[in-house]
Amino acid sequence: MSLERFYDSYWARGLHTNTEWGEQRFRRVLGPLEGMDRVLDYGCGLGHGYQRRLAAAVRSYTGADVSDLALADLRQKRLDALKINLANGSIECPDCTFQGVACVEVFEHLFDPLQAARELSRVIRPGGFLIATVPNFGYHSWRLLALLRAQVPSEPERPDMNRYNGVHIRFFSKLMLKRLVRDAGFTD
């Protein structure tokens, strides 16, 4: 199966949460993007959680994903859509296009998160704002599982069926996420 088909299949299975974020969580995580001119949602998927709220909170919302299914979903919602090049994480847009970028729970799914972070650094305006989140592998319970049982939190879609079929292929602590964005060219 090609990687593009893998991501289409991931979204088509419908096993992920479709729960809309509450106002408090939205403001805590994505609040700094509210009111911005142009915002990119890199790795937006089907927009579960926050897409509707974010698109309404900014002047111009653009979603980007590798999945054709996710891009079709964006277009159906009448939102701007950009295809992420699976080989290098790039998107077709000029440098410094976006005032803000959201990359929510994406880096842990990527084969080359540094290349993707470099692309985000390229497309964000000087003084722009990046919000990137990942599951924190630094939690003590996850570290203990890794140390004592050689288990990592791969977040399987259906642990009752196959707890080893997880979608996370990278693991980040707070320090590693900071290093990633620094190495990609972000300065603050």
Side-chain angles (χ1 to χ4, degrees), residues 74-182:
L74 284 166
R75 291 182 187 107
Q76 181 181 7
K77 295 173 183 171
R78 300 186 191 282
L79 296 171
D80 291 338
L82 291 173
K83 176 84 170 174
I84 298 173
N85 181 319
L86 196 54
N88 61 15
S90 67
I91 55 176
E92 288 190 29
C93 70
D95 294 356
C96 306
T97 297
F98 298 98
Q99 187 179 7
V101 174
C103 187
V104 178
E105 307 294 306
V106 174
F107 288 133
E108 69 273 14
H109 299 274
L110 303 179
F111 292 103
D112 191 349
L114 179 58
Q115 185 60 36
R118 286 179 175 147
E119 179 67 357
L120 299 181
S121 179
R122 179 188 74 79
V123 301
I124 200 166
R125 295 177 191 164
F129 210 94
L130 168 68
I131 295 177
T133 67
V134 294
N136 184 358
F137 187 66
Y139 286 130
H140 295 299
S141 60
W142 286 8
R143 286 181 181 191
L144 285 173
L145 275 174
L147 180 65
L148 301 175
R149 294 193 176 173
Q151 293 177 343
V152 293
S154 61
E155 192 176 282
E157 294 172 328
R158 293 290 304 272
D160 56 323
M161 295 173 67
N162 181 353
R163 68 181 180 163
Y164 304 102
N165 186 20
V167 294
H168 293 173
I169 59 174
R170 297 278 181 261
F171 304 96
F172 293 90
S173 65
K174 185 177 180 180
L175 175 64
M176 291 307 294
L177 181 60
K178 283 183 175 183
R179 285 181 182 167
L180 173 70
V181 295
R182 182 201 64 217

